[in-house]
Amino acid sequence: MARTRLRRLRPAYPRPGRADWRRWIPSWRQWLGACLYLFTGMACFTAIAYAVTDIPDDLNSFATQQDNVYYWADGSTMARTGWVSRQEMPLEKVPAKVQGAVLAAENASFYSDPGVSPSGVLRAVRAALTGGETQGGSTITQQYVKNAYLSQDRTLSRKFTELLLAVKMDNQKDKKQILQDYLNTSWFGRGTYGIQRASQAYYGKDVSQLNASEGAFLASLLKGAGLYDPAVGPNNRERAVERWNWILDRMVETGHLSASERATYTKFPEPSATNLAGIPGAQTGYLVEMAKAYAVKAGHIQESDFDLGGYQIYTTFDKARMTALTTAVQEAQKGFDPEKRPDTDKHVKIGAASVAPDGRLLAVYGGPDYLKQGFNESNATTIPVGTAFTPIVYAAALEEGVVRTRGKARTPVSPTSVYDGNDQVTVQTPEGPYWDRSGKVLKGHNDNDRNWGQVTLRQAVADSVNTPMLQLGMDVGLDRVEAFAERTGLLASSLGPRIPMFVLGENSKPSAIRMAGAYQTFAAGGMHTDPYSVRSATRAGAAVPLDPPKPTRAVSASTARAVTDALRQGVSEGSAKSAAKVRPGAGGKTGTTAANTAGWFVATTDQESTAVVVYRMALTDLQALPLTGLGGDAPGTLPSERAVRLWSDYAKAVK
């Protein structure tokens, strides 16, 4: 009996009672049963697959990486860095009508669908089976899943995974978050990911400033930037205008735009033909490197986090001044001919920097091209500062007084105090003459062996008379001079050992940036602010807290005025008088070394302090080379004269 029932339950196949080929054709009951089995199996498979599929923790690298963007002081874009041109932007920063343009173009039912479109799925499956286009039926959620987690392969397995992830994401994430992530990761052409970078690449402004018409054009790019960017192909503009019109009409249908406003958009919003500023090179590379270092330090940012990108760095650099300084250096370099004069003109280097009275770095010249030479000559500590150091000695003397005789109290000095300015004057200590390590009495030496007779300290600074300044430093005390140098912003690591020639800057190697900052102290009435290169920084629309340098009292206001007065005399009638007509009221001090390896000029105006250094050095061994005969100069010509001329060209351009 039991066997009989089992036989009855088994499907009769081939079908009895049928002849020939008809025996092999299933009955409708058999067809129905097979379909039920198949549907149940697919449902179980899909349910299990959905249950075991998790949204990945890691997004595709381009979906997490962003670029860092650097801006000039006037707010215009300087450069961007990073492998991916992308900046995240909160959804609330994207105008509602721009969001509406994207929804109308890509997925009008986004806020009501379950993350997938059944009809779109069927079209995608059919297209995949027939080899057609597979992307037309994707919702915004599916597109984001594909962009952020999956490859771009057009296969059924990838499409199936996309559907599962889209449904799961729709259940787990807020719709606005999905839309935000989609807008921040989508490809818009011109090397950009995300609508913020696209807005800047096509219209030169933040996405928050876009109108509905511009948003409609950007939305058209989501269908294929290579087809709709007018700058790419000859027929692209026609396609773009057609798509733009369709999207605006579609926005009216979906309720994202009123018919009356739609009627105002009759002119196609032509995108710019230029791309975003690219990878920094030439001079901007040096600026970017300095700004990054400062932002990381002042913002307490981990370098690994900074390298992930997303930061907007607003620098202090003045674009016009950068152009003027670069042009002045390039003009100066025209006088050097290393092929004609290899012994005097080979390996010539120039570093320069301008600092505002409040410490803002306005301009630097770091080298010929950052991509060819990463070594930043404006920030280098490789060449002695020479007698450009002496105004610091002068300031220390005015503040601290001097000791000429052992056991005596310190005696005040003033700008009119008189010292011996003759050549070969013996250097004295409170105990008597100073004996060097070779057992010889140390004597001072003036440029070109000139005897100046009795000179005031003010004149000694203005005319760059070495012997009185050397003695003055000894009278003040080398330890006190060193302390004053640090108070004006020179780094202790750049200062040489405390021997007599320390006073004349023979063994100290501060950078051009630090020297400009030190002179800025005098121009700012004795208040010193360390040079800085970043005004502010943001990420994802939020400010990054920075610790800006704070001004400190380095010298008294009266001392600052006295030093400034001597520097002004140096320009009007002293060692830098060739620049007297360039900027009335400017002050400055030339700087040379005993070995003639450096030519400095540091100048101050009401707007800025600028340091220029000309030197020769092969970067392979970092050995300073003499400047005698540089550019065909006659014997006895001081290399600082070239630095003065360079500053003069710069100062004329930035009046």
Side-chain angles (χ1 to χ4, degrees), residues 555-585:
V555 299
S556 67
S558 60
T559 293
R561 284 194 298 270
V563 175
T564 299
D565 183 58
L567 295 176
R568 286 175 176 167
Q569 183 177 337
V571 172
S572 63
E573 54 188 82
S575 61
K577 61 183 178 181
S578 60
K581 295 181 180 179
V582 175
R583 186 71 68 84

PDB file of all heavy atoms in Angstrom, residues 555-585:
ATOM      1  N   VAL A 555      62.007  93.914  22.218  1.00  0.00           N
ATOM      2  CA  VAL A 555      62.813  95.053  22.646  1.00  0.00           C
ATOM      3  C   VAL A 555      61.853  96.197  22.939  1.00  0.00           C
ATOM      4  O   VAL A 555      60.694  96.189  22.524  1.00  0.00           O
ATOM      5  CB  VAL A 555      63.844  95.478  21.575  1.00  0.00           C
ATOM      6  CG1 VAL A 555      64.812  94.351  21.284  1.00  0.00           C
ATOM      7  CG2 VAL A 555      63.157  95.926  20.296  1.00  0.00           C
ATOM      8  N   SER A 556      62.339  97.191  23.632  1.00  0.00           N
ATOM      9  CA  SER A 556      61.487  98.333  23.952  1.00  0.00           C
ATOM     10  C   SER A 556      61.178  99.130  22.695  1.00  0.00           C
ATOM     11  O   SER A 556      61.895  99.047  21.685  1.00  0.00           O
ATOM     12  CB  SER A 556      62.181  99.236  24.970  1.00  0.00           C
ATOM     13  OG  SER A 556      63.330  99.833  24.384  1.00  0.00           O
ATOM     14  N   ALA A 557      60.117  99.892  22.759  1.00  0.00           N
ATOM     15  CA  ALA A 557      59.723 100.706  21.611  1.00  0.00           C
ATOM     16  C   ALA A 557      60.809 101.727  21.270  1.00  0.00           C
ATOM     17  O   ALA A 557      61.062 102.013  20.097  1.00  0.00           O
ATOM     18  CB  ALA A 557      58.402 101.406  21.895  1.00  0.00           C
ATOM     19  N   SER A 558      61.464 102.281  22.303  1.00  0.00           N
ATOM     20  CA  SER A 558      62.508 103.281  22.041  1.00  0.00           C
ATOM     21  C   SER A 558      63.708 102.650  21.337  1.00  0.00           C
ATOM     22  O   SER A 558      64.300 103.247  20.429  1.00  0.00           O
ATOM     23  CB  SER A 558      62.944 103.938  23.348  1.00  0.00           C
ATOM     24  OG  SER A 558      63.454 102.966  24.255  1.00  0.00           O
ATOM     25  N   THR A 559      64.069 101.438  21.743  1.00  0.00           N
ATOM     26  CA  THR A 559      65.166 100.740  21.070  1.00  0.00           C
ATOM     27  C   THR A 559      64.795 100.423  19.635  1.00  0.00           C
ATOM     28  O   THR A 559      65.611 100.584  18.713  1.00  0.00           O
ATOM     29  CB  THR A 559      65.515  99.447  21.826  1.00  0.00           C
ATOM     30  OG1 THR A 559      66.060  99.779  23.100  1.00  0.00           O
ATOM     31  CG2 THR A 559      66.527  98.613  21.050  1.00  0.00           C
ATOM     32  N   ALA A 560      63.565  99.975  19.419  1.00  0.00           N
ATOM     33  CA  ALA A 560      63.110  99.668  18.060  1.00  0.00           C
ATOM     34  C   ALA A 560      63.186 100.906  17.179  1.00  0.00           C
ATOM     35  O   ALA A 560      63.597 100.828  16.011  1.00  0.00           O
ATOM     36  CB  ALA A 560      61.685  99.120  18.098  1.00  0.00           C
ATOM     37  N   ARG A 561      62.810 102.060  17.724  1.00  0.00           N
ATOM     38  CA  ARG A 561      62.869 103.304  16.948  1.00  0.00           C
ATOM     39  C   ARG A 561      64.308 103.661  16.615  1.00  0.00           C
ATOM     40  O   ARG A 561      64.609 104.107  15.498  1.00  0.00           O
ATOM     41  CB  ARG A 561      62.205 104.445  17.716  1.00  0.00           C
ATOM     42  CG  ARG A 561      60.684 104.387  17.710  1.00  0.00           C
ATOM     43  CD  ARG A 561      60.087 105.704  18.194  1.00  0.00           C
ATOM     44  NE  ARG A 561      60.473 106.007  19.577  1.00  0.00           N
ATOM     45  CZ  ARG A 561      59.787 105.621  20.643  1.00  0.00           C
ATOM     46  NH1 ARG A 561      58.672 104.911  20.496  1.00  0.00           N
ATOM     47  NH2 ARG A 561      60.189 105.951  21.863  1.00  0.00           N
ATOM     48  N   ALA A 562      65.207 103.472  17.575  1.00  0.00           N
ATOM     49  CA  ALA A 562      66.614 103.807  17.343  1.00  0.00           C
ATOM     50  C   ALA A 562      67.227 102.907  16.269  1.00  0.00           C
ATOM     51  O   ALA A 562      67.970 103.384  15.392  1.00  0.00           O
ATOM     52  CB  ALA A 562      67.398 103.684  18.648  1.00  0.00           C
ATOM     53  N   VAL A 563      66.919 101.622  16.320  1.00  0.00           N
ATOM     54  CA  VAL A 563      67.441 100.699  15.304  1.00  0.00           C
ATOM     55  C   VAL A 563      66.858 101.050  13.939  1.00  0.00           C
ATOM     56  O   VAL A 563      67.572 101.099  12.932  1.00  0.00           O
ATOM     57  CB  VAL A 563      67.120  99.240  15.679  1.00  0.00           C
ATOM     58  CG1 VAL A 563      67.552  98.299  14.547  1.00  0.00           C
ATOM     59  CG2 VAL A 563      67.808  98.851  16.976  1.00  0.00           C
ATOM     60  N   THR A 564      65.564 101.325  13.892  1.00  0.00           N
ATOM     61  CA  THR A 564      64.917 101.687  12.630  1.00  0.00           C
ATOM     62  C   THR A 564      65.524 102.961  12.054  1.00  0.00           C
ATOM     63  O   THR A 564      65.734 103.074  10.838  1.00  0.00           O
ATOM     64  CB  THR A 564      63.405 101.869  12.840  1.00  0.00           C
ATOM     65  OG1 THR A 564      62.840 100.640  13.303  1.00  0.00           O
ATOM     66  CG2 THR A 564      62.721 102.278  11.552  1.00  0.00           C
ATOM     67  N   ASP A 565      65.828 103.909  12.919  1.00  0.00           N
ATOM     68  CA  ASP A 565      66.445 105.157  12.473  1.00  0.00           C
ATOM     69  C   ASP A 565      67.800 104.892  11.831  1.00  0.00           C
ATOM     70  O   ASP A 565      68.133 105.468  10.784  1.00  0.00           O
ATOM     71  CB  ASP A 565      66.590 106.101  13.666  1.00  0.00           C
ATOM     72  CG  ASP A 565      67.167 107.443  13.268  1.00  0.00           C
ATOM     73  OD1 ASP A 565      66.570 108.112  12.407  1.00  0.00           O
ATOM     74  OD2 ASP A 565      68.225 107.820  13.815  1.00  0.00           O
ATOM     75  N   ALA A 566      68.611 104.016  12.444  1.00  0.00           N
ATOM     76  CA  ALA A 566      69.923 103.679  11.882  1.00  0.00           C
ATOM     77  C   ALA A 566      69.768 102.946  10.551  1.00  0.00           C
ATOM     78  O   ALA A 566      70.528 103.184   9.599  1.00  0.00           O
ATOM     79  CB  ALA A 566      70.703 102.826  12.872  1.00  0.00           C
ATOM     80  N   LEU A 567      68.763 102.070  10.467  1.00  0.00           N
ATOM     81  CA  LEU A 567      68.531 101.347   9.219  1.00  0.00           C
ATOM     82  C   LEU A 567      68.096 102.300   8.107  1.00  0.00           C
ATOM     83  O   LEU A 567      68.494 102.138   6.944  1.00  0.00           O
ATOM     84  CB  LEU A 567      67.472 100.261   9.435  1.00  0.00           C
ATOM     85  CG  LEU A 567      67.852  99.114  10.388  1.00  0.00           C
ATOM     86  CD1 LEU A 567      66.685  98.167  10.581  1.00  0.00           C
ATOM     87  CD2 LEU A 567      69.071  98.364   9.868  1.00  0.00           C
ATOM     88  N   ARG A 568      67.304 103.300   8.468  1.00  0.00           N
ATOM     89  CA  ARG A 568      66.889 104.278   7.459  1.00  0.00           C
ATOM     90  C   ARG A 568      68.072 105.103   6.970  1.00  0.00           C
ATOM     91  O   ARG A 568      68.163 105.429   5.791  1.00  0.00           O
ATOM     92  CB  ARG A 568      65.808 105.181   8.036  1.00  0.00           C
ATOM     93  CG  ARG A 568      64.453 104.487   8.152  1.00  0.00           C
ATOM     94  CD  ARG A 568      63.427 105.342   8.841  1.00  0.00           C
ATOM     95  NE  ARG A 568      62.118 104.687   8.851  1.00  0.00           N
ATOM     96  CZ  ARG A 568      61.088 105.074   9.588  1.00  0.00           C
ATOM     97  NH1 ARG A 568      61.221 106.154  10.390  1.00  0.00           N
ATOM     98  NH2 ARG A 568      59.946 104.424   9.535  1.00  0.00           N
ATOM     99  N   GLN A 569      68.976 105.415   7.878  1.00  0.00           N
ATOM    100  CA  GLN A 569      70.177 106.135   7.462  1.00  0.00           C
ATOM    101  C   GLN A 569      71.022 105.251   6.545  1.00  0.00           C
ATOM    102  O   GLN A 569      71.663 105.742   5.611  1.00  0.00           O
ATOM    103  CB  GLN A 569      71.007 106.563   8.675  1.00  0.00           C
ATOM    104  CG  GLN A 569      72.243 107.378   8.284  1.00  0.00           C
ATOM    105  CD  GLN A 569      73.024 107.865   9.499  1.00  0.00           C
ATOM    106  OE1 GLN A 569      72.480 107.979  10.592  1.00  0.00           O
ATOM    107  NE2 GLN A 569      74.305 108.137   9.307  1.00  0.00           N
ATOM    108  N   GLY A 570      71.001 103.949   6.804  1.00  0.00           N
ATOM    109  CA  GLY A 570      71.746 103.029   5.947  1.00  0.00           C
ATOM    110  C   GLY A 570      71.274 103.058   4.508  1.00  0.00           C
ATOM    111  O   GLY A 570      72.062 102.874   3.576  1.00  0.00           O
ATOM    112  N   VAL A 571      69.985 103.313   4.299  1.00  0.00           N
ATOM    113  CA  VAL A 571      69.444 103.395   2.944  1.00  0.00           C
ATOM    114  C   VAL A 571      69.598 104.802   2.373  1.00  0.00           C
ATOM    115  O   VAL A 571      69.938 104.985   1.203  1.00  0.00           O
ATOM    116  CB  VAL A 571      67.955 102.969   2.920  1.00  0.00           C
ATOM    117  CG1 VAL A 571      67.327 103.245   1.555  1.00  0.00           C
ATOM    118  CG2 VAL A 571      67.829 101.499   3.273  1.00  0.00           C
ATOM    119  N   SER A 572      69.371 105.796   3.193  1.00  0.00           N
ATOM    120  CA  SER A 572      69.405 107.167   2.679  1.00  0.00           C
ATOM    121  C   SER A 572      70.815 107.642   2.347  1.00  0.00           C
ATOM    122  O   SER A 572      71.027 108.375   1.374  1.00  0.00           O
ATOM    123  CB  SER A 572      68.756 108.122   3.681  1.00  0.00           C
ATOM    124  OG  SER A 572      69.496 108.142   4.898  1.00  0.00           O
ATOM    125  N   GLU A 573      71.805 107.202   3.146  1.00  0.00           N
ATOM    126  CA  GLU A 573      73.166 107.701   2.903  1.00  0.00           C
ATOM    127  C   GLU A 573      74.257 106.724   3.301  1.00  0.00           C
ATOM    128  O   GLU A 573      75.437 107.061   3.270  1.00  0.00           O
ATOM    129  CB  GLU A 573      73.383 109.003   3.682  1.00  0.00           C
ATOM    130  CG  GLU A 573      73.096 108.895   5.163  1.00  0.00           C
ATOM    131  CD  GLU A 573      73.133 110.244   5.867  1.00  0.00           C
ATOM    132  OE1 GLU A 573      72.110 110.957   5.807  1.00  0.00           O
ATOM    133  OE2 GLU A 573      74.188 110.564   6.429  1.00  0.00           O
ATOM    134  N   GLY A 574      73.892 105.495   3.621  1.00  0.00           N
ATOM    135  CA  GLY A 574      74.882 104.534   4.094  1.00  0.00           C
ATOM    136  C   GLY A 574      75.196 103.452   3.084  1.00  0.00           C
ATOM    137  O   GLY A 574      75.262 103.691   1.879  1.00  0.00           O
ATOM    138  N   SER A 575      75.359 102.212   3.574  1.00  0.00           N
ATOM    139  CA  SER A 575      75.838 101.117   2.730  1.00  0.00           C
ATOM    140  C   SER A 575      74.832 100.705   1.667  1.00  0.00           C
ATOM    141  O   SER A 575      75.194 100.015   0.716  1.00  0.00           O
ATOM    142  CB  SER A 575      76.186  99.904   3.606  1.00  0.00           C
ATOM    143  OG  SER A 575      75.028  99.441   4.304  1.00  0.00           O
ATOM    144  N   ALA A 576      73.554 101.095   1.800  1.00  0.00           N
ATOM    145  CA  ALA A 576      72.533 100.718   0.814  1.00  0.00           C
ATOM    146  C   ALA A 576      71.941 101.941   0.128  1.00  0.00           C
ATOM    147  O   ALA A 576      70.792 101.924  -0.311  1.00  0.00           O
ATOM    148  CB  ALA A 576      71.429  99.909   1.498  1.00  0.00           C
ATOM    149  N   LYS A 577      72.720 103.000   0.013  1.00  0.00           N
ATOM    150  CA  LYS A 577      72.166 104.253  -0.501  1.00  0.00           C
ATOM    151  C   LYS A 577      71.764 104.167  -1.974  1.00  0.00           C
ATOM    152  O   LYS A 577      71.033 105.025  -2.462  1.00  0.00           O
ATOM    153  CB  LYS A 577      73.153 105.399  -0.300  1.00  0.00           C
ATOM    154  CG  LYS A 577      74.486 105.238  -1.013  1.00  0.00           C
ATOM    155  CD  LYS A 577      75.406 106.405  -0.666  1.00  0.00           C
ATOM    156  CE  LYS A 577      76.772 106.250  -1.324  1.00  0.00           C
ATOM    157  NZ  LYS A 577      77.676 107.376  -0.960  1.00  0.00           N
ATOM    158  N   SER A 578      72.214 103.120  -2.676  1.00  0.00           N
ATOM    159  CA  SER A 578      71.787 102.963  -4.070  1.00  0.00           C
ATOM    160  C   SER A 578      70.292 102.692  -4.170  1.00  0.00           C
ATOM    161  O   SER A 578      69.697 102.842  -5.237  1.00  0.00           O
ATOM    162  CB  SER A 578      72.551 101.815  -4.740  1.00  0.00           C
ATOM    163  OG  SER A 578      72.313 100.588  -4.069  1.00  0.00           O
ATOM    164  N   ALA A 579      69.656 102.318  -3.042  1.00  0.00           N
ATOM    165  CA  ALA A 579      68.212 102.055  -3.033  1.00  0.00           C
ATOM    166  C   ALA A 579      67.420 103.220  -2.467  1.00  0.00           C
ATOM    167  O   ALA A 579      66.212 103.097  -2.249  1.00  0.00           O
ATOM    168  CB  ALA A 579      67.925 100.788  -2.217  1.00  0.00           C
ATOM    169  N   ALA A 580      68.068 104.343  -2.219  1.00  0.00           N
ATOM    170  CA  ALA A 580      67.428 105.458  -1.515  1.00  0.00           C
ATOM    171  C   ALA A 580      66.205 105.996  -2.240  1.00  0.00           C
ATOM    172  O   ALA A 580      65.217 106.389  -1.607  1.00  0.00           O
ATOM    173  CB  ALA A 580      68.442 106.584  -1.295  1.00  0.00           C
ATOM    174  N   LYS A 581      66.234 106.027  -3.559  1.00  0.00           N
ATOM    175  CA  LYS A 581      65.122 106.612  -4.302  1.00  0.00           C
ATOM    176  C   LYS A 581      63.974 105.634  -4.549  1.00  0.00           C
ATOM    177  O   LYS A 581      62.918 106.035  -5.009  1.00  0.00           O
ATOM    178  CB  LYS A 581      65.627 107.146  -5.641  1.00  0.00           C
ATOM    179  CG  LYS A 581      66.618 108.300  -5.511  1.00  0.00           C
ATOM    180  CD  LYS A 581      67.049 108.802  -6.886  1.00  0.00           C
ATOM    181  CE  LYS A 581      68.040 109.964  -6.761  1.00  0.00           C
ATOM    182  NZ  LYS A 581      68.474 110.448  -8.095  1.00  0.00           N
ATOM    183  N   VAL A 582      64.206 104.382  -4.245  1.00  0.00           N
ATOM    184  CA  VAL A 582      63.203 103.361  -4.550  1.00  0.00           C
ATOM    185  C   VAL A 582      62.003 103.467  -3.631  1.00  0.00           C
ATOM    186  O   VAL A 582      60.846 103.461  -4.062  1.00  0.00           O
ATOM    187  CB  VAL A 582      63.819 101.950  -4.451  1.00  0.00           C
ATOM    188  CG1 VAL A 582      62.747 100.884  -4.636  1.00  0.00           C
ATOM    189  CG2 VAL A 582      64.922 101.791  -5.478  1.00  0.00           C
ATOM    190  N   ARG A 583      62.256 103.556  -2.355  1.00  0.00           N
ATOM    191  CA  ARG A 583      61.168 103.596  -1.372  1.00  0.00           C
ATOM    192  C   ARG A 583      61.561 104.563  -0.255  1.00  0.00           C
ATOM    193  O   ARG A 583      62.213 104.166   0.713  1.00  0.00           O
ATOM    194  CB  ARG A 583      60.944 102.197  -0.809  1.00  0.00           C
ATOM    195  CG  ARG A 583      59.732 102.079   0.122  1.00  0.00           C
ATOM    196  CD  ARG A 583      58.438 102.190  -0.635  1.00  0.00           C
ATOM    197  NE  ARG A 583      58.207 101.055  -1.504  1.00  0.00           N
ATOM    198  CZ  ARG A 583      57.657  99.900  -1.097  1.00  0.00           C
ATOM    199  NH1 ARG A 583      57.289  99.754   0.154  1.00  0.00           N
ATOM    200  NH2 ARG A 583      57.468  98.926  -1.947  1.00  0.00           N
ATOM    201  N   PRO A 584      61.191 105.832  -0.368  1.00  0.00           N
ATOM    202  CA  PRO A 584      61.536 106.799   0.682  1.00  0.00           C
ATOM    203  C   PRO A 584      61.025 106.323   2.036  1.00  0.00           C
ATOM    204  O   PRO A 584      59.896 105.856   2.170  1.00  0.00           O
ATOM    205  CB  PRO A 584      60.816 108.077   0.223  1.00  0.00           C
ATOM    206  CG  PRO A 584      60.687 107.925  -1.259  1.00  0.00           C
ATOM    207  CD  PRO A 584      60.467 106.467  -1.486  1.00  0.00           C
ATOM    208  N   GLY A 585      61.889 106.436   3.031  1.00  0.00           N
ATOM    209  CA  GLY A 585      61.516 106.004   4.377  1.00  0.00           C
ATOM    210  C   GLY A 585      61.865 104.574   4.686  1.00  0.00           C
ATOM    211  O   GLY A 585      61.717 104.126   5.827  1.00  0.00           O
TER     212      GLY A 585
END
